[in-house]
Amino acid sequence: MKNIKALNIIFIFLLLFSCKNKENETGNKIAIEEINLSKEITHPEIESLINNMISEEHFTGVVLVAVNDKIIHANGYGMAQDGIQNRINTKFHVASITKQFTAAAIMQLFEQKKINLEKSINEFLPPQYRSDKWNSVTIHHLLTQTSGIEDYGLTRNYYEVEKGFCLGNTVDGMIKEAMVKELKFPSSSKFSYSNIGYSLLGQIIENTSGEPYDSYMKKHIFEPMGMHDSFIHNTSNYTVANDEAMGYRWDDELNKHVPDDIISLPVTEPDGNLVTTLKDFLKWTSVYTNNNQKVIDDIAIKKMTTPYIKNDFSFLKEKGPWYGYGLSLTDGIISHPGYIVGFRSHFIVDTNNGIKVLVFNNNVSNNPKNVSSEIYNMISKKLNNKKE
């Protein structure tokens, strides 16, 4: 009996201590700012599921699972680089997961009345990138992948691409090529995933704010969110650090992971160049759940998470959910895939049940959505059984 009373006292003390530490210096509450991710946390059933994925799909990467902001699993698997293991604090390129951050930056400019989501992008793009083909294309169309602007292709004469990342005048060349093409369909009439749409949003951010895209994101998104280990891969001076993952694929003939250098699909900063960690991205997801931050307001979040049109990620064999601003949406569940040379990623945030599953993977031979979906279904089923 005495032991039970002692445990209760300890629990109350810890609860009060944790509540006190949920306030930052400005007094704004950030629900998961102080979570310590210095050590791996393993959930037996999740660990077993991932081990199956390692056997079946050669999974390598990192996985985090949280329920109601309590982390129940966080672990790394396989190699980040030669001789360096993936750890929970390893930095990963997360590809198109970047798009929601670009959308958030656009919403900041919208809040400041520097842009209008329903006006032609020609009013906000730099003069050299304005096209009479785009008079009917709005910022809203770019955000929702309904612009009709044809995406950039795999190879072009002007492409200078290194391991998938755009160098030199590649972005300038791809935009100028798109400027002279007719729209694939009337804007807003259908969904068609277009990376270049988010490249153009990056140009709008730079032209409107007067800041380079990577600097803007650091100053106005990452630092205010406490995402101190996140940055935009700037290809002009980028080198891979020891705390970052490198991109691989599985080679059946060699029976091992090898550097992924087969495809040279270009990726630009605003559509897929975010480098982040599990902890940093978990902080970011609070904008969709607790929303105890001041980076973007409630109206902006509402717009980002409004289902506007059915998406069709046919190239990823993923169809069905709706698309918001850089986000896939369905029944209170927010998600998005990412896929570039050497890296794939997927996250799920269930705003109704407080479930968050983050999967960053540095092996393109494995689909991280298989991992995130199986984990989510398992946790969701357990929660529903408890409710019954």
Side-chain angles (χ1 to χ4, degrees):
M1 192 71 176
K2 289 181 179 180
N3 288 338
I4 294 174
K5 289 182 178 179
L7 287 172
N8 286 336
I9 292 171
I10 292 172
F11 175 77
I12 293 170
F13 172 80
L14 290 173
L15 181 62
L16 291 172
F17 181 81
S18 65
C19 290
K20 181 180 180 181
N21 280 277
K22 288 189 185 289
E23 292 191 8
N24 63 9
E25 293 177 357
T26 63
N28 296 327
K29 293 181 179 180
I30 301 178
I32 53 179
E33 173 72 24
E34 290 78 23
I35 284 181
N36 185 354
L37 266 184
S38 59
K39 295 181 181 180
E40 288 76 12
I41 302 169
T42 57
H43 184 288
E45 291 175 271
I46 296 174
E47 190 75 2
S48 175
L49 187 153
I50 296 171
N51 284 332
N52 289 336
M53 287 296 181
I54 293 172
S55 299
E56 295 171 6
E57 298 189 10
H58 313 290
F59 175 80
T60 61
V62 290
V63 178
L64 183 146
V65 184
V67 180
N68 294 323
D69 289 330
K70 178 183 179 182
I71 298 173
I72 63 171
H73 184 93
N75 207 358
Y77 307 88
M79 304 302 293
Q81 303 179 30
D82 287 344
I84 302 177
Q85 292 281 337
N86 276 321
R87 303 295 185 191
I88 53 176
N89 59 352
T90 300
K91 297 173 183 175
F92 278 75
H93 286 78
V94 293
S96 287
I97 283 179
T98 307
K99 288 180 171 65
Q100 65 197 282
F101 292 88
T102 298
I106 287 289
M107 296 313 298
Q108 288 181 333
L109 298 173
F110 167 75
E111 291 169 5
Q112 297 163 22
K113 302 187 185 307
K114 293 182 178 179
I115 60 172
N116 186 317
L117 302 180
E118 304 303 330
K119 287 190 176 181
S120 171
I121 59 176
N122 286 328
E123 294 192 28
F124 309 103
L125 283 168
Q128 70 270 26
Y129 295 143
R130 296 172 186 174
S131 168
D132 58 2
K133 311 288 187 185
W134 298 345
N135 288 332
S136 64
V137 179
T138 67
I139 293 176
H140 173 81
H141 295 146
L142 295 182
L143 289 166
T144 56
Q145 307 283 17
T146 58
S147 70
I149 297 174
E150 187 172 347
D151 204 3
Y152 48 73
L154 293 175
T155 56
R156 291 291 186 274
N157 291 334
Y158 53 77
Y159 274 22
E160 183 186 352
V161 179
E162 181 178 317
K163 294 183 179 178
F165 299 100
C166 291
L167 301 175
N169 295 320
T170 306
V171 176
D172 178 73
M174 67 171 61
I175 293 177
K176 287 180 176 175
E177 180 190 1
M179 289 170 63
V180 300
K181 291 183 177 181
E182 298 293 337
L183 297 180
K184 293 166 58 180
F185 51 82
S187 297
S188 81
S189 64
K190 62 184 293 187
F191 175 95
S192 181
Y193 197 80
S194 175
N195 290 292
I196 199 172
Y198 274 75
S199 303
L200 291 173
L201 288 170
Q203 293 294 326
I204 290 172
I205 291 167
E206 292 191 350
N207 188 53
T208 305
S209 70
E211 300 178 52
Y213 176 82
D214 59 335
S215 299
Y216 182 95
M217 299 305 289
K218 179 179 180 180
K219 180 179 178 181
H220 300 283
I221 301 289
F222 302 148
E223 288 183 351
M225 286 296 299
M227 298 173 64
H228 304 303
D229 291 322
S230 300
F231 61 92
I232 298 298
H233 175 154
N234 187 321
T235 52
S236 63
N237 57 6
Y238 184 79
T239 55
V240 179
N242 288 334
D243 61 353
E244 293 178 43
M246 294 183 65
Y248 294 92
R249 61 180 171 82
W250 180 258
D251 189 302
D252 284 324
E253 292 185 3
L254 297 176
N255 196 37
K256 67 176 184 178
H257 291 97
V258 298
D260 182 39
D261 54 4
I262 291 180
I263 302 175
S264 190
L265 176 67
V267 60
T268 68
E269 293 179 21
D271 81 83
N273 274 28
L274 173 64
V275 180
T276 191
T277 62
L278 289 173
K279 181 177 180 180
D280 274 10
F281 191 73
L282 183 61
K283 291 178 184 178
W284 171 253
T285 61
S286 67
V287 305
Y288 306 127
T289 51
N290 306 304
N291 191 22
N292 293 318
Q293 48 72 45
K294 301 299 179 184
V295 173
I296 50 178
D297 65 20
D298 291 343
I299 295 174
I301 295 168
K302 174 72 172 176
K303 284 183 174 292
M304 286 182 65
T305 56
T306 295
Y308 296 104
I309 191 166
K310 280 275 190 177
N311 77 33
D312 180 2
F313 287 117
S314 56
F315 66 104
L316 292 174
K317 298 181 180 179
E318 179 177 339
K319 299 183 179 182
W322 294 79
Y323 207 76
Y325 288 176
L327 297 167
S328 289
L329 307 163
T330 179
D331 299 328
I333 297 174
I334 300 169
S335 66
H336 206 281
Y339 190 178
I340 57 174
V341 176
F343 296 91
R344 299 186 72 172
S345 53
H346 194 265
F347 80 95
I348 298 171
V349 173
D350 183 342
T351 59
N352 293 326
N353 297 301
I355 304 172
K356 300 179 180 182
V357 184
L358 319 180
V359 181
F360 303 156
N361 130 265
N362 61 328
N363 167 28
V364 294
S365 303
N366 136 261
N367 186 350
K369 187 174 184 292
N370 294 339
V371 181
S372 60
S373 296
E374 286 206 34
I375 292 173
Y376 171 77
N377 290 336
M378 181 184 73
I379 299 300
S380 179
K381 184 177 180 180
K382 284 181 174 292
L383 290 178
N384 287 332
N385 287 340
K386 284 184 178 180
K387 290 178 182 178
E388 294 174 359

